[in-house]
């Protein structure tokens, strides 16, 4: 029972619901919003062209990146949504597009210990890491490795020059506003989080991708199935930063920080890493990949076919 309680505490928010600690909603119902930080970053669902582009991938690494992104990620973002963010501060920074990245930057800061959430679920960047340490928004975000992302999205942001001029002070204030906005995190619809399986929409789009991968693996076209992932330099979730939180105090106390390092792989994503579920036998990700191969007749489920008739001949050899 103690072990089960520990596991539950690792995967629930302050209200005991299966949501991330930074997603402080007390609602026991599936949450969705049509807006993402006050905007609509995606106005259309993935099309046949999108699926064909993924199917044309020459390697599993490229296919994985396509599946994670345009082939289904946009559905998660657009149907989950993100609210409770100070969008006026984003406006000042010229962050009018790609606001789906706001949550990704916030999660990066949370993983690295800059964002802390109290027992009530309220999140912020503690003053002892920011103003109390004599650091402004730009300095904190630069230290956390987020400036490279933010300058792609917030087009009015530049590097403060420290001159104290009116323009320089305005720039520093804009950076402070962005830090404040992302540190508060806001609330997020379940589809836009790792809790997405609670939303019925999850079970519509994911088997679709599973079937698309099976179609590609049965194709006569060469397909490199070496384990891997093609990195995306345009998305703030692909940071290569891994943080060790052992020995770090819980809650909002930021007197200790996790040990963060850069790595070419992330724990839990390597081929030999075990799946965090209880099965009759230990399954690694590599074992699971083999299990899902369309040639494995021992699978516990089947698709009637791998045809994509609604896309015409695009996905037919």
């Amino acid at each position: 029972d103690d072990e089960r309680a520990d596991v539950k505490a690792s995967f629930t928010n302050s209200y005991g619901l299966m949501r991330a600690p930074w997603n402080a909603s007390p609602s026991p119902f599936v949450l969705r919003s049509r807006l993402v930080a006050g905007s609509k970053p995606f106005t259309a669902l993935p099309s046949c062209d999108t699926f064909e582009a993924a199917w044309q991938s020459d390697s599993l690494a490229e296919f994985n990146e396509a599946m994670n992104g345009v082939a289904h990620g946009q559905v998660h973002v657009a149907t989950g949504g993100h609210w409770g963010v100070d969008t006026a501060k984003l406006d000042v920074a010229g962050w009018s597009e790609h606001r789906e990245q706001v949550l990704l930057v916030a999660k990066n800061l949370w993983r690295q210990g800059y964002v802390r959430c109290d027992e009530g679920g309220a999140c912020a960047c503690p003053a002892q890491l920011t103003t109390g340490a004599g650091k402004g928004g730009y300095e904190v975000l630069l230290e956390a490795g987020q400036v490279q992302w933010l300058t792609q999205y917030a087009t009015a942001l530049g590097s403060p020059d420290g001159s104290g001029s009116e323009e320089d002070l305005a720039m520093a204030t804009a950076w402070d506003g962005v830090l404040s906005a992302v540190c508060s995190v806001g609330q997020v619809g379940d589809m836009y989080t790792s809790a997405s399986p609670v939303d019925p929409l999850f079970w519509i789009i994911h088997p679709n991708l599973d079937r698309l991968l099976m179609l590609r693996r049965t194709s006569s076209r060469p397909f490199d199935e070496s384990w891997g992932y093609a990195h995306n330099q345009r998305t703030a979730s692909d940071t290569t930063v891994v943080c060790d939180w052992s020995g770090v105090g819980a809650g909002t106390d930021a007197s200790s920080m996790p040990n963060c390092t850069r790595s070419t792989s992330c724990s839990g994503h390597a081929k030999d890493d075990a799946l965090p579920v209880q099965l009759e036998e230990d399954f690694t990700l590599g074992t699971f990949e083999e299990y899902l191969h369309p040639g494995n007749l021992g699978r516990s489920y089947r698709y009637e076919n791998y045809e994509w008739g609604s896309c015409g001949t695009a996905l037919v050899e």
Side-chain angles (χ1 to χ4, degrees):
D1 290 340
D2 290 341
E3 182 179 355
R4 181 174 297 179
D6 289 341
V7 170
K8 181 179 179 181
S10 300
F11 295 98
T12 57
N13 66 8
S14 56
Y15 296 96
L17 299 169
M18 190 170 289
R19 294 189 174 114
W22 43 260
N23 198 8
S25 172
S27 173
F29 304 105
V30 171
L31 298 176
R32 295 176 184 163
S33 173
R34 64 186 180 85
L35 296 178
V36 179
S39 70
K40 289 186 176 181
F42 308 115
T43 57
L45 296 175
S47 65
C48 288
D49 289 341
T50 307
F51 295 131
E52 181 182 9
W55 184 80
Q56 292 288 349
S57 299
D58 294 324
S59 68
L60 180 63
E62 294 177 4
F63 194 94
N64 283 339
E65 198 281 325
M67 286 199 298
N68 183 53
V70 295
H72 99 293
Q74 295 177 357
V75 180
H76 279 270
V77 177
T79 57
H82 184 193
W83 62 97
V85 177
D86 191 340
T87 57
K89 292 177 179 177
L90 303 180
D91 292 338
V92 170
W95 196 342
S96 58
E97 298 182 354
H98 297 294
R99 288 190 174 180
E100 76 281 358
Q101 302 292 323
V102 172
L103 176 62
L104 302 184
V105 172
K107 290 197 295 183
N108 290 342
L109 294 175
W110 176 73
R111 292 188 183 105
Q112 296 182 49
Y114 292 94
V115 169
R116 301 296 175 101
C117 305
D118 62 25
E119 292 183 356
C123 300
C125 289
Q128 65 194 105
L129 297 176
T130 57
T131 54
K135 299 175 182 177
Y138 176 76
E139 288 78 18
V140 173
L141 291 164
L142 181 65
E143 182 179 84
Q146 302 308 298
V147 168
Q148 62 170 321
W149 310 112
L150 292 170
T151 51
Q152 294 184 54
Y153 317 132
T155 57
L157 293 180
S159 301
D161 58 22
S163 65
S165 66
E166 184 175 339
E167 182 179 353
D168 180 59
L169 292 176
M171 184 64 67
T173 299
W175 279 104
D176 291 344
V178 168
L179 180 65
S180 174
V182 296
C183 285
S184 67
V185 183
Q187 292 191 12
V188 189
D190 294 305
M191 272 291 281
Y192 193 15
T193 72
S194 55
S196 55
V198 304
D199 192 314
L201 288 174
F202 177 95
W203 301 101
I204 297 175
I205 63 174
H206 276 254
N208 202 37
L209 293 177
D210 182 35
R211 196 165 68 94
L212 182 62
L213 177 57
M214 289 190 178
L215 173 66
R216 184 63 185 90
R217 296 176 86 177
T218 58
S219 170
S220 60
R221 291 179 52 242
F223 188 53
D224 181 3
E225 296 199 36
S226 301
W227 189 264
Y229 180 84
H231 293 282
N232 185 342
Q233 301 301 318
R234 303 180 304 278
T235 303
S237 59
D238 199 350
T239 65
T240 71
V241 174
V242 180
C243 297
D244 179 5
W245 277 78
S246 59
V248 179
T252 58
D253 180 15
S255 59
S256 58
M257 294 285 281
N259 179 31
C260 298
T261 57
R262 291 193 176 276
S263 174
T264 56
S265 63
C266 181
S267 177
H269 292 259
K271 185 174 183 177
D272 295 329
D273 286 344
L275 285 170
V277 293
Q278 293 183 349
L279 299 170
E280 294 182 0
E281 58 180 300
D282 291 336
F283 259 42
T284 65
L285 293 180
T287 306
F288 192 54
E289 178 197 15
E290 295 172 1
Y291 175 81
L292 292 177
H293 195 283
N296 176 24
L297 300 182
R299 277 184 295 114
S300 58
Y301 66 96
R302 297 282 189 279
Y303 292 108
E304 182 177 355
N305 59 62
Y306 300 125
E307 297 175 3
W308 287 68
S310 60
C311 290
T313 60
L315 301 178
V316 179
E317 303 223 51

